[in-house]
Amino acid sequence: MAGFLLINPRSGKGGPSADDLADAARERGVGIRVLRESDDAAKLAREAEADALGVAGGDGSLAAIAEVSLERGLPFVCVPFGTRNHFARDLGLDRGDPLAALASFGGRERRVDVGRADGRLFLNNISFGAYASLVHRREHHRGRRAALARLRALLRTLRHPHRLHLSVDGETIAARVILIANNAYELNLFELGERTSLSEGRLHLYSADGVLPTNWLERSAESFTVAGAGRIRAAIDGEPEELPERIECRIEPRGLRVLVPPDA
């Protein structure tokens, strides 16, 4: 299979370098592009002559290339090369071994769900409230030590306004955290647990109140309409975004073809 892999060199944290990954991909006959600051990754993916499109990066790097895969009717390859790599984990990939994930080119195909927020694709989730605030704050503190980052997360959550008021399908929800997920998560205080399925065909909405968001309320549906009093600060797949005051979220069951290694 003629594959094409985009590598985000700014995502890697330890382990093999972008150059190591590029060399290993070339050995498999996969075309590569190590992204520069000025590159438009989606444009490169649209123009690539390939039978499969892949990206090596963190969760925030994936959706744009998955979108192009859908547009072109091509399978998508995820190579975990970031900090969290939740999507790769839930696919069953070894997040600590991006070189092994290259076996996805020519591997077996799975069909997984994708979410949409006003047409924009997301693979993991959209968060509002305290978690979104943490993500926006993180953009100003990249490179800090993990222990300090975790302490800052705690303090930021405690300082966050007591309640976020958003309307979901016409019902006002008062909570510190609201999260809309592509399939069901196990939720912890500062991180997301695993998803046991990526193809149940449901969005899951979680909300939590209280000083620390530990008591989660959950509902599921194929779509949700979220509305606020103005533009809404959010995080989509861990990346900060400002969204319009009304957002239509929906699921596309088994919409994305994904290649995984034969033994994943």
Side-chain angles (χ1 to χ4, degrees):
M1 173 176 290
F4 181 69
L5 179 68
L6 293 155
I7 301 173
N8 182 355
R10 295 170 292 281
S11 293
K13 301 291 183 182
S17 67
D19 289 340
D20 294 334
L21 196 58
D23 290 342
R26 289 191 191 98
E27 290 176 3
R28 290 180 173 271
V30 175
I32 66 98
R33 175 64 175 260
V34 178
L35 292 170
R36 309 183 186 100
E37 289 279 359
S38 59
D39 280 340
D40 183 332
K43 183 174 184 291
L44 290 169
R46 288 188 181 96
E47 296 172 349
E49 295 184 7
D51 298 320
L53 298 174
V55 58
D59 286 313
S61 304
L62 304 181
I65 310 307
E67 179 74 87
V68 177
S69 294
L70 276 170
E71 291 173 7
R72 297 186 58 183
L74 298 178
F76 174 68
V77 170
C78 167
V79 176
F81 199 57
T83 304
R84 294 172 299 278
N85 301 304
H86 289 158
F87 184 69
R89 173 199 62 197
D90 298 339
L91 276 177
L93 303 179
D94 182 349
R95 291 184 289 176
D97 193 355
L99 297 180
L102 294 174
S104 298
F105 290 101
R108 60 186 179 89
E109 183 175 309
R110 293 179 56 185
R111 290 270 186 170
V112 304
D113 303 340
V114 298
R116 296 275 184 184
D118 279 352
R120 174 172 171 172
L121 183 146
F122 63 93
L123 296 174
N124 296 326
N125 58 72
I126 307 173
S127 61
F128 310 92
Y131 279 3
S133 178
L134 290 174
V135 169
H136 282 258
R137 184 74 172 174
R138 184 194 68 203
E139 295 302 299
H140 301 287
H141 294 277
R142 288 192 179 275
R144 297 290 183 86
R145 294 172 59 184
L148 291 177
R150 192 172 183 84
L151 175 61
R152 187 173 60 249
L154 173 61
L155 295 175
R156 183 72 176 178
T157 301
L158 290 172
R159 291 200 305 268
H160 194 271
H162 182 61
R163 286 186 174 181
L164 170 76
H165 290 82
L166 290 176
S167 167
V168 177
D169 294 340
E171 175 190 350
T172 298
I173 295 180
R176 292 171 64 84
V177 179
I178 296 174
L179 185 141
I180 296 176
N182 173 20
N183 289 265
Y185 276 101
E186 296 176 2
L187 293 181
N188 301 312
L189 179 56
F190 292 120
E191 61 185 4
L192 296 175
E194 295 184 10
R195 287 173 286 184
T196 59
S197 173
L198 292 175
S199 56
E200 64 171 293
R202 306 281 288 180
L203 293 176
H204 287 252
L205 187 145
Y206 303 92
S207 61
D209 206 351
V211 176
L212 291 177
T214 55
N215 185 24
W216 295 94
L217 299 178
E218 178 182 358
R219 66 182 76 178
S220 68
E222 294 181 357
S223 65
F224 292 108
T225 299
V226 179
R231 291 188 65 82
I232 303 170
R233 177 174 282 194
I236 300 181
D237 286 350
E239 296 297 314
E241 295 290 343
E242 293 281 345
L243 299 177
E245 63 183 20
R246 183 181 177 87
I247 310 157
E248 301 290 340
C249 300
R250 60 183 174 85
I251 195 81
E252 286 187 6
R254 300 178 182 269
L256 182 64
R257 300 165 60 196
V258 179
L259 296 177
V260 296
D263 59 350

